[in-house]
mmCIF file of all heavy atoms in Angstrom:
data_model
loop_
_atom_site.group_PDB
_atom_site.id
_atom_site.type_symbol
_atom_site.label_atom_id
_atom_site.label_comp_id
_atom_site.label_asym_id
_atom_site.label_seq_id
_atom_site.Cartn_x
_atom_site.Cartn_y
_atom_site.Cartn_z
ATOM 1 N N ASP H 1 -17.130 -13.823 -5.218
ATOM 2 C CA ASP H 1 -16.718 -12.833 -4.207
ATOM 3 C C ASP H 1 -15.372 -12.225 -4.583
ATOM 4 O O ASP H 1 -15.153 -11.013 -4.434
ATOM 5 C CB ASP H 1 -16.612 -13.492 -2.830
ATOM 6 C CG ASP H 1 -17.964 -13.837 -2.237
ATOM 7 O OD1 ASP H 1 -18.979 -13.301 -2.717
ATOM 8 O OD2 ASP H 1 -18.004 -14.645 -1.286
ATOM 9 N N ASN H 2 -14.477 -13.058 -5.064
ATOM 10 C CA ASN H 2 -13.159 -12.593 -5.457
ATOM 11 C C ASN H 2 -13.236 -11.614 -6.626
ATOM 12 O O ASN H 2 -12.568 -10.576 -6.632
ATOM 13 C CB ASN H 2 -12.291 -13.794 -5.833
ATOM 14 C CG ASN H 2 -10.830 -13.445 -6.031
ATOM 15 O OD1 ASN H 2 -10.181 -12.966 -5.124
ATOM 16 N ND2 ASN H 2 -10.321 -13.695 -7.231
ATOM 17 N N GLU H 3 -14.065 -11.941 -7.612
ATOM 18 C CA GLU H 3 -14.231 -11.063 -8.769
ATOM 19 C C GLU H 3 -14.798 -9.703 -8.353
ATOM 20 O O GLU H 3 -14.335 -8.654 -8.822
ATOM 21 C CB GLU H 3 -15.163 -11.725 -9.790
ATOM 22 C CG GLU H 3 -14.559 -12.923 -10.502
ATOM 23 C CD GLU H 3 -13.479 -12.517 -11.473
ATOM 24 O OE1 GLU H 3 -13.807 -11.855 -12.476
ATOM 25 O OE2 GLU H 3 -12.309 -12.837 -11.220
ATOM 26 N N LYS H 4 -15.790 -9.713 -7.471
ATOM 27 C CA LYS H 4 -16.385 -8.459 -7.000
ATOM 28 C C LYS H 4 -15.369 -7.632 -6.221
ATOM 29 O O LYS H 4 -15.324 -6.408 -6.348
ATOM 30 C CB LYS H 4 -17.599 -8.764 -6.122
ATOM 31 C CG LYS H 4 -18.788 -9.357 -6.865
ATOM 32 C CD LYS H 4 -19.904 -9.725 -5.906
ATOM 33 C CE LYS H 4 -21.065 -10.394 -6.631
ATOM 34 N NZ LYS H 4 -22.131 -10.836 -5.680
ATOM 35 N N ALA H 5 -14.556 -8.310 -5.409
ATOM 36 C CA ALA H 5 -13.556 -7.605 -4.604
ATOM 37 C C ALA H 5 -12.514 -6.934 -5.499
ATOM 38 O O ALA H 5 -12.148 -5.772 -5.269
ATOM 39 C CB ALA H 5 -12.884 -8.569 -3.640
ATOM 40 N N ILE H 6 -12.046 -7.656 -6.520
ATOM 41 C CA ILE H 6 -11.050 -7.083 -7.428
ATOM 42 C C ILE H 6 -11.633 -5.867 -8.153
ATOM 43 O O ILE H 6 -10.969 -4.829 -8.287
ATOM 44 C CB ILE H 6 -10.573 -8.141 -8.437
ATOM 45 C CG1 ILE H 6 -9.773 -9.230 -7.714
ATOM 46 C CG2 ILE H 6 -9.744 -7.513 -9.548
ATOM 47 C CD1 ILE H 6 -9.417 -10.422 -8.575
ATOM 48 N N HIS H 7 -12.873 -5.975 -8.598
ATOM 49 C CA HIS H 7 -13.533 -4.856 -9.274
ATOM 50 C C HIS H 7 -13.651 -3.655 -8.343
ATOM 51 O O HIS H 7 -13.392 -2.507 -8.746
ATOM 52 C CB HIS H 7 -14.919 -5.290 -9.759
ATOM 53 C CG HIS H 7 -15.681 -4.200 -10.448
ATOM 54 N ND1 HIS H 7 -15.350 -3.745 -11.710
ATOM 55 C CD2 HIS H 7 -16.757 -3.465 -10.040
ATOM 56 C CE1 HIS H 7 -16.184 -2.780 -12.060
ATOM 57 N NE2 HIS H 7 -17.048 -2.591 -11.063
ATOM 58 N N SER H 8 -14.007 -3.895 -7.088
ATOM 59 C CA SER H 8 -14.148 -2.813 -6.117
ATOM 60 C C SER H 8 -12.813 -2.134 -5.848
ATOM 61 O O SER H 8 -12.731 -0.904 -5.762
ATOM 62 C CB SER H 8 -14.732 -3.356 -4.814
ATOM 63 O OG SER H 8 -14.806 -2.354 -3.829
ATOM 64 N N VAL H 9 -11.756 -2.921 -5.711
ATOM 65 C CA VAL H 9 -10.425 -2.345 -5.476
ATOM 66 C C VAL H 9 -10.009 -1.486 -6.662
ATOM 67 O O VAL H 9 -9.489 -0.369 -6.493
ATOM 68 C CB VAL H 9 -9.398 -3.473 -5.229
ATOM 69 C CG1 VAL H 9 -7.980 -2.913 -5.237
ATOM 70 C CG2 VAL H 9 -9.683 -4.160 -3.895
ATOM 71 N N ARG H 10 -10.226 -1.980 -7.864
ATOM 72 C CA ARG H 10 -9.898 -1.194 -9.062
ATOM 73 C C ARG H 10 -10.636 0.149 -9.060
ATOM 74 O O ARG H 10 -10.042 1.193 -9.373
ATOM 75 C CB ARG H 10 -10.265 -1.977 -10.324
ATOM 76 C CG ARG H 10 -9.341 -3.131 -10.665
ATOM 77 C CD ARG H 10 -9.870 -3.879 -11.883
ATOM 78 N NE ARG H 10 -9.009 -4.969 -12.306
ATOM 79 C CZ ARG H 10 -8.062 -4.864 -13.235
ATOM 80 N NH1 ARG H 10 -7.853 -3.702 -13.831
ATOM 81 N NH2 ARG H 10 -7.321 -5.902 -13.563
ATOM 82 N N GLU H 11 -11.914 0.122 -8.727
ATOM 83 C CA GLU H 11 -12.717 1.343 -8.720
ATOM 84 C C GLU H 11 -12.205 2.353 -7.697
ATOM 85 O O GLU H 11 -12.104 3.552 -7.981
ATOM 86 C CB GLU H 11 -14.179 1.007 -8.420
ATOM 87 C CG GLU H 11 -14.948 0.432 -9.590
ATOM 88 C CD GLU H 11 -16.434 0.363 -9.306
ATOM 89 O OE1 GLU H 11 -16.800 0.196 -8.112
ATOM 90 O OE2 GLU H 11 -17.233 0.484 -10.253
ATOM 91 N N GLN H 12 -11.887 1.865 -6.498
ATOM 92 C CA GLN H 12 -11.445 2.781 -5.441
ATOM 93 C C GLN H 12 -10.078 3.383 -5.740
ATOM 94 O O GLN H 12 -9.800 4.527 -5.367
ATOM 95 C CB GLN H 12 -11.427 2.041 -4.098
ATOM 96 C CG GLN H 12 -12.832 1.686 -3.602
ATOM 97 C CD GLN H 12 -12.814 0.887 -2.316
ATOM 98 O OE1 GLN H 12 -12.487 1.408 -1.253
ATOM 99 N NE2 GLN H 12 -13.161 -0.390 -2.409
ATOM 100 N N ILE H 13 -9.226 2.637 -6.427
ATOM 101 C CA ILE H 13 -7.939 3.196 -6.860
ATOM 102 C C ILE H 13 -8.162 4.250 -7.936
ATOM 103 O O ILE H 13 -7.587 5.351 -7.887
ATOM 104 C CB ILE H 13 -7.021 2.077 -7.383
ATOM 105 C CG1 ILE H 13 -6.586 1.162 -6.229
ATOM 106 C CG2 ILE H 13 -5.793 2.669 -8.069
ATOM 107 C CD1 ILE H 13 -5.813 -0.061 -6.671
ATOM 108 N N ALA H 14 -9.015 3.948 -8.900
ATOM 109 C CA ALA H 14 -9.286 4.878 -10.003
ATOM 110 C C ALA H 14 -9.961 6.149 -9.500
ATOM 111 O O ALA H 14 -9.644 7.253 -9.972
ATOM 112 C CB ALA H 14 -10.163 4.193 -11.053
ATOM 113 N N ASP H 15 -10.879 6.005 -8.539
ATOM 114 C CA ASP H 15 -11.583 7.171 -8.000
ATOM 115 C C ASP H 15 -10.624 8.172 -7.367
ATOM 116 O O ASP H 15 -10.926 9.373 -7.296
ATOM 117 C CB ASP H 15 -12.612 6.733 -6.952
ATOM 118 C CG ASP H 15 -13.810 6.028 -7.567
ATOM 119 O OD1 ASP H 15 -13.980 6.129 -8.802
ATOM 120 O OD2 ASP H 15 -14.563 5.367 -6.826
ATOM 121 N N ARG H 16 -9.486 7.687 -6.890
ATOM 122 C CA ARG H 16 -8.514 8.577 -6.235
ATOM 123 C C ARG H 16 -7.417 9.038 -7.189
ATOM 124 O O ARG H 16 -6.489 9.733 -6.768
ATOM 125 C CB ARG H 16 -7.916 7.851 -5.017
ATOM 126 C CG ARG H 16 -8.910 7.795 -3.881
ATOM 127 C CD ARG H 16 -8.604 6.693 -2.891
ATOM 128 N NE ARG H 16 -9.527 6.771 -1.765
ATOM 129 C CZ ARG H 16 -10.784 6.329 -1.799
ATOM 130 N NH1 ARG H 16 -11.257 5.767 -2.902
ATOM 131 N NH2 ARG H 16 -11.569 6.457 -0.748
ATOM 132 N N GLY H 17 -7.508 8.633 -8.449
ATOM 133 C CA GLY H 17 -6.560 9.103 -9.442
ATOM 134 C C GLY H 17 -5.176 8.503 -9.341
ATOM 135 O O GLY H 17 -4.208 9.034 -9.913
ATOM 136 N N HIS H 18 -5.046 7.377 -8.651
ATOM 137 C CA HIS H 18 -3.735 6.748 -8.518
ATOM 138 C C HIS H 18 -3.405 5.933 -9.767
ATOM 139 O O HIS H 18 -4.280 5.320 -10.383
ATOM 140 C CB HIS H 18 -3.703 5.818 -7.300
ATOM 141 C CG HIS H 18 -3.954 6.514 -5.997
ATOM 142 N ND1 HIS H 18 -3.314 7.669 -5.636
ATOM 143 C CD2 HIS H 18 -4.782 6.195 -4.960
ATOM 144 C CE1 HIS H 18 -3.723 8.046 -4.440
ATOM 145 N NE2 HIS H 18 -4.616 7.172 -4.002
ATOM 146 N N SER H 19 -2.136 5.883 -10.113
ATOM 147 C CA SER H 19 -1.667 5.029 -11.199
ATOM 148 C C SER H 19 -1.381 3.640 -10.633
ATOM 149 O O SER H 19 -0.737 3.512 -9.583
ATOM 150 C CB SER H 19 -0.397 5.619 -11.807
ATOM 151 O OG SER H 19 0.162 4.741 -12.751
ATOM 152 N N ALA H 20 -1.864 2.616 -11.316
ATOM 153 C CA ALA H 20 -1.699 1.257 -10.796
ATOM 154 C C ALA H 20 -1.481 0.270 -11.932
ATOM 155 O O ALA H 20 -1.970 0.457 -13.049
ATOM 156 C CB ALA H 20 -2.924 0.845 -9.988
ATOM 157 N N THR H 21 -0.723 -0.779 -11.624
ATOM 158 C CA THR H 21 -0.530 -1.897 -12.531
ATOM 159 C C THR H 21 -1.142 -3.127 -11.887
ATOM 160 O O THR H 21 -0.876 -3.413 -10.716
ATOM 161 C CB THR H 21 0.974 -2.152 -12.787
ATOM 162 O OG1 THR H 21 1.541 -0.982 -13.374
ATOM 163 C CG2 THR H 21 1.169 -3.340 -13.716
ATOM 164 N N PHE H 22 -1.961 -3.871 -12.633
ATOM 165 C CA PHE H 22 -2.651 -5.048 -12.096
ATOM 166 C C PHE H 22 -2.053 -6.313 -12.702
ATOM 167 O O PHE H 22 -1.952 -6.433 -13.924
ATOM 168 C CB PHE H 22 -4.149 -4.978 -12.408
ATOM 169 C CG PHE H 22 -4.835 -3.790 -11.784
ATOM 170 C CD1 PHE H 22 -4.940 -2.588 -12.467
ATOM 171 C CD2 PHE H 22 -5.356 -3.868 -10.497
ATOM 172 C CE1 PHE H 22 -5.562 -1.484 -11.892
ATOM 173 C CE2 PHE H 22 -5.971 -2.777 -9.918
ATOM 174 C CZ PHE H 22 -6.075 -1.579 -10.612
ATOM 175 N N ILE H 23 -1.652 -7.253 -11.833
ATOM 176 C CA ILE H 23 -1.092 -8.518 -12.308
ATOM 177 C C ILE H 23 -1.707 -9.662 -11.516
ATOM 178 O O ILE H 23 -2.207 -9.477 -10.403
ATOM 179 C CB ILE H 23 0.446 -8.555 -12.179
ATOM 180 C CG1 ILE H 23 0.852 -8.447 -10.708
ATOM 181 C CG2 ILE H 23 1.102 -7.459 -13.007
ATOM 182 C CD1 ILE H 23 2.337 -8.628 -10.486
ATOM 183 N N HIS H 24 -1.660 -10.867 -12.082
ATOM 184 C CA HIS H 24 -2.133 -12.054 -11.388
ATOM 185 C C HIS H 24 -1.048 -12.586 -10.461
ATOM 186 O O HIS H 24 0.145 -12.327 -10.653
ATOM 187 C CB HIS H 24 -2.555 -13.133 -12.384
ATOM 188 C CG HIS H 24 -3.788 -12.780 -13.160
ATOM 189 N ND1 HIS H 24 -5.038 -12.750 -12.578
ATOM 190 C CD2 HIS H 24 -3.959 -12.438 -14.466
ATOM 191 C CE1 HIS H 24 -5.931 -12.413 -13.497
ATOM 192 N NE2 HIS H 24 -5.304 -12.212 -14.643
ATOM 193 N N ARG H 25 -1.454 -13.349 -9.471
ATOM 194 C CA ARG H 25 -0.519 -13.818 -8.441
ATOM 195 C C ARG H 25 0.589 -14.704 -8.993
ATOM 196 O O ARG H 25 1.667 -14.793 -8.410
ATOM 197 C CB ARG H 25 -1.283 -14.570 -7.335
ATOM 198 C CG ARG H 25 -1.979 -15.824 -7.819
ATOM 199 C CD ARG H 25 -2.889 -16.400 -6.759
ATOM 200 N NE ARG H 25 -2.153 -17.068 -5.685
ATOM 201 C CZ ARG H 25 -2.748 -17.670 -4.655
ATOM 202 N NH1 ARG H 25 -4.056 -17.644 -4.542
ATOM 203 N NH2 ARG H 25 -2.035 -18.286 -3.747
ATOM 204 N N ALA H 26 0.354 -15.364 -10.117
ATOM 205 C CA ALA H 26 1.367 -16.248 -10.688
ATOM 206 C C ALA H 26 2.417 -15.491 -11.492
ATOM 207 O O ALA H 26 3.430 -16.062 -11.883
ATOM 208 C CB ALA H 26 0.697 -17.294 -11.579
ATOM 209 N N GLU H 27 2.201 -14.200 -11.731
ATOM 210 C CA GLU H 27 3.129 -13.405 -12.524
ATOM 211 C C GLU H 27 4.142 -12.707 -11.621
ATOM 212 O O GLU H 27 3.833 -12.346 -10.489
ATOM 213 C CB GLU H 27 2.365 -12.361 -13.336
ATOM 214 C CG GLU H 27 1.372 -12.949 -14.332
ATOM 215 C CD GLU H 27 0.527 -11.878 -14.998
ATOM 216 O OE1 GLU H 27 0.140 -10.904 -14.322
ATOM 217 O OE2 GLU H 27 0.258 -12.020 -16.194
ATOM 218 N N ALA H 28 5.347 -12.510 -12.147
ATOM 219 C CA ALA H 28 6.370 -11.780 -11.404
ATOM 220 C C ALA H 28 6.011 -10.300 -11.342
ATOM 221 O O ALA H 28 5.336 -9.771 -12.228
ATOM 222 C CB ALA H 28 7.726 -11.963 -12.073
ATOM 223 N N LEU H 29 6.459 -9.641 -10.288
ATOM 224 C CA LEU H 29 6.180 -8.221 -10.151
ATOM 225 C C LEU H 29 6.894 -7.443 -11.251
ATOM 226 O O LEU H 29 7.980 -7.807 -11.685
ATOM 227 C CB LEU H 29 6.647 -7.721 -8.781
ATOM 228 C CG LEU H 29 5.926 -8.301 -7.562
ATOM 229 C CD1 LEU H 29 6.495 -7.703 -6.287
ATOM 230 C CD2 LEU H 29 4.434 -8.027 -7.636
ATOM 231 N N PRO H 30 6.288 -6.331 -11.705
ATOM 232 C CA PRO H 30 6.924 -5.523 -12.751
ATOM 233 C C PRO H 30 8.204 -4.868 -12.244
ATOM 234 O O PRO H 30 8.459 -4.784 -11.042
ATOM 235 C CB PRO H 30 5.849 -4.480 -13.087
ATOM 236 C CG PRO H 30 4.963 -4.433 -11.884
ATOM 237 C CD PRO H 30 4.969 -5.812 -11.302
ATOM 238 N N ALA H 31 9.000 -4.355 -13.181
ATOM 239 C CA ALA H 31 10.323 -3.833 -12.842
ATOM 240 C C ALA H 31 10.257 -2.543 -12.030
ATOM 241 O O ALA H 31 11.139 -2.267 -11.226
ATOM 242 C CB ALA H 31 11.124 -3.613 -14.125
ATOM 243 N N GLN H 32 9.225 -1.732 -12.249
ATOM 244 C CA GLN H 32 9.179 -0.453 -11.549
ATOM 245 C C GLN H 32 8.977 -0.653 -10.048
ATOM 246 O O GLN H 32 8.442 -1.659 -9.611
ATOM 247 C CB GLN H 32 8.072 0.448 -12.111
ATOM 248 C CG GLN H 32 6.645 -0.019 -11.809
ATOM 249 C CD GLN H 32 6.030 -0.780 -12.956
ATOM 250 O OE1 GLN H 32 6.737 -1.481 -13.663
ATOM 251 N NE2 GLN H 32 4.736 -0.654 -13.132
ATOM 252 N N ASP H 33 9.439 0.332 -9.279
ATOM 253 C CA ASP H 33 9.353 0.259 -7.826
ATOM 254 C C ASP H 33 8.120 1.025 -7.361
ATOM 255 O O ASP H 33 8.123 2.254 -7.341
ATOM 256 C CB ASP H 33 10.620 0.848 -7.197
ATOM 257 C CG ASP H 33 10.705 0.575 -5.709
ATOM 258 O OD1 ASP H 33 9.970 -0.305 -5.233
ATOM 259 O OD2 ASP H 33 11.485 1.248 -5.025
ATOM 260 N N PRO H 34 7.039 0.356 -6.974
ATOM 261 C CA PRO H 34 5.800 1.054 -6.621
ATOM 262 C C PRO H 34 5.869 1.666 -5.221
ATOM 263 O O PRO H 34 6.685 1.266 -4.384
ATOM 264 C CB PRO H 34 4.752 -0.060 -6.676
ATOM 265 C CG PRO H 34 5.515 -1.290 -6.298
ATOM 266 C CD PRO H 34 6.898 -1.105 -6.873
ATOM 267 N N ASP H 35 4.992 2.634 -4.974
ATOM 268 C CA ASP H 35 4.868 3.191 -3.632
ATOM 269 C C ASP H 35 4.211 2.189 -2.689
ATOM 270 O O ASP H 35 4.495 2.184 -1.493
ATOM 271 C CB ASP H 35 4.014 4.473 -3.667
ATOM 272 C CG ASP H 35 4.681 5.570 -4.485
ATOM 273 O OD1 ASP H 35 5.868 5.860 -4.221
ATOM 274 O OD2 ASP H 35 4.028 6.112 -5.390
ATOM 275 N N LEU H 36 3.333 1.360 -3.251
ATOM 276 C CA LEU H 36 2.584 0.417 -2.431
ATOM 277 C C LEU H 36 2.151 -0.768 -3.283
ATOM 278 O O LEU H 36 1.767 -0.605 -4.440
ATOM 279 C CB LEU H 36 1.339 1.097 -1.832
ATOM 280 C CG LEU H 36 0.404 0.237 -0.986
ATOM 281 C CD1 LEU H 36 1.100 -0.249 0.280
ATOM 282 C CD2 LEU H 36 -0.858 1.027 -0.621
ATOM 283 N N ILE H 37 2.224 -1.965 -2.691
ATOM 284 C CA ILE H 37 1.734 -3.181 -3.347
ATOM 285 C C ILE H 37 0.497 -3.646 -2.597
ATOM 286 O O ILE H 37 0.523 -3.826 -1.375
ATOM 287 C CB ILE H 37 2.801 -4.286 -3.335
ATOM 288 C CG1 ILE H 37 4.019 -3.856 -4.161
ATOM 289 C CG2 ILE H 37 2.231 -5.595 -3.876
ATOM 290 C CD1 ILE H 37 5.200 -4.799 -4.057
ATOM 291 N N LEU H 38 -0.614 -3.825 -3.313
ATOM 292 C CA LEU H 38 -1.836 -4.373 -2.731
ATOM 293 C C LEU H 38 -1.954 -5.839 -3.112
ATOM 294 O O LEU H 38 -1.871 -6.186 -4.292
ATOM 295 C CB LEU H 38 -3.076 -3.622 -3.232
ATOM 296 C CG LEU H 38 -3.521 -2.407 -2.420
ATOM 297 C CD1 LEU H 38 -2.504 -1.293 -2.549
ATOM 298 C CD2 LEU H 38 -4.896 -1.933 -2.887
ATOM 299 N N SER H 39 -2.132 -6.688 -2.120
ATOM 300 C CA SER H 39 -2.363 -8.111 -2.354
ATOM 301 C C SER H 39 -3.850 -8.373 -2.121
ATOM 302 O O SER H 39 -4.334 -8.283 -0.995
ATOM 303 C CB SER H 39 -1.514 -8.944 -1.386
ATOM 304 O OG SER H 39 -1.904 -10.296 -1.416
ATOM 305 N N VAL H 40 -4.574 -8.670 -3.198
ATOM 306 C CA VAL H 40 -6.022 -8.874 -3.110
ATOM 307 C C VAL H 40 -6.311 -10.363 -3.223
ATOM 308 O O VAL H 40 -6.129 -10.966 -4.266
ATOM 309 C CB VAL H 40 -6.769 -8.097 -4.216
ATOM 310 C CG1 VAL H 40 -8.276 -8.216 -4.015
ATOM 311 C CG2 VAL H 40 -6.350 -6.631 -4.213
ATOM 312 N N GLY H 41 -6.751 -10.964 -2.147
ATOM 313 C CA GLY H 41 -7.020 -12.398 -2.095
ATOM 314 C C GLY H 41 -7.133 -12.817 -0.650
ATOM 315 O O GLY H 41 -7.946 -12.295 0.099
ATOM 316 N N GLY H 42 -6.281 -13.737 -0.233
ATOM 317 C CA GLY H 42 -6.230 -14.161 1.158
ATOM 318 C C GLY H 42 -4.784 -14.269 1.588
ATOM 319 O O GLY H 42 -3.880 -13.691 0.966
ATOM 320 N N ASP H 43 -4.541 -15.023 2.640
ATOM 321 C CA ASP H 43 -3.172 -15.173 3.125
ATOM 322 C C ASP H 43 -2.287 -15.883 2.097
ATOM 323 O O ASP H 43 -1.101 -15.575 1.978
ATOM 324 C CB ASP H 43 -3.173 -15.966 4.439
ATOM 325 C CG ASP H 43 -3.708 -15.146 5.600
ATOM 326 O OD1 ASP H 43 -3.585 -13.906 5.558
ATOM 327 O OD2 ASP H 43 -4.253 -15.749 6.550
ATOM 328 N N GLY H 44 -2.859 -16.823 1.351
ATOM 329 C CA GLY H 44 -2.079 -17.522 0.338
ATOM 330 C C GLY H 44 -1.575 -16.581 -0.740
ATOM 331 O O GLY H 44 -0.422 -16.687 -1.186
#
C-alpha cells in the first residue's frame, strides 16, 4: 500500500508540472527552501 501511495503521489505531482525532490524519512531535508513539504506515510 505504501509503495502504491508513493507512486501515486509522484504521478500527481508530475502531472501538474511541479518540481519536487524525493527523500526517505531517515534522510535530512535538502538545503533548498521548498514551497511545500509532503509527508507520505502516517503520523510517525
Side-chain angles (χ1 to χ4, degrees):
D1 288 343
N2 190 60
E3 290 289 293
K4 291 176 183 176
I6 292 172
H7 179 72
S8 176
V9 170
R10 286 176 178 266
E11 282 191 330
Q12 291 177 71
I13 291 173
D15 288 345
R16 286 159 175 79
H18 299 312
S19 173
T21 300
F22 298 91
I23 63 174
H24 291 289
R25 63 189 286 181
E27 299 173 322
L29 295 180
Q32 70 262 34
D33 190 16
D35 296 309
L36 178 65
I37 296 172
L38 270 68
S39 169
V40 186
D43 287 332

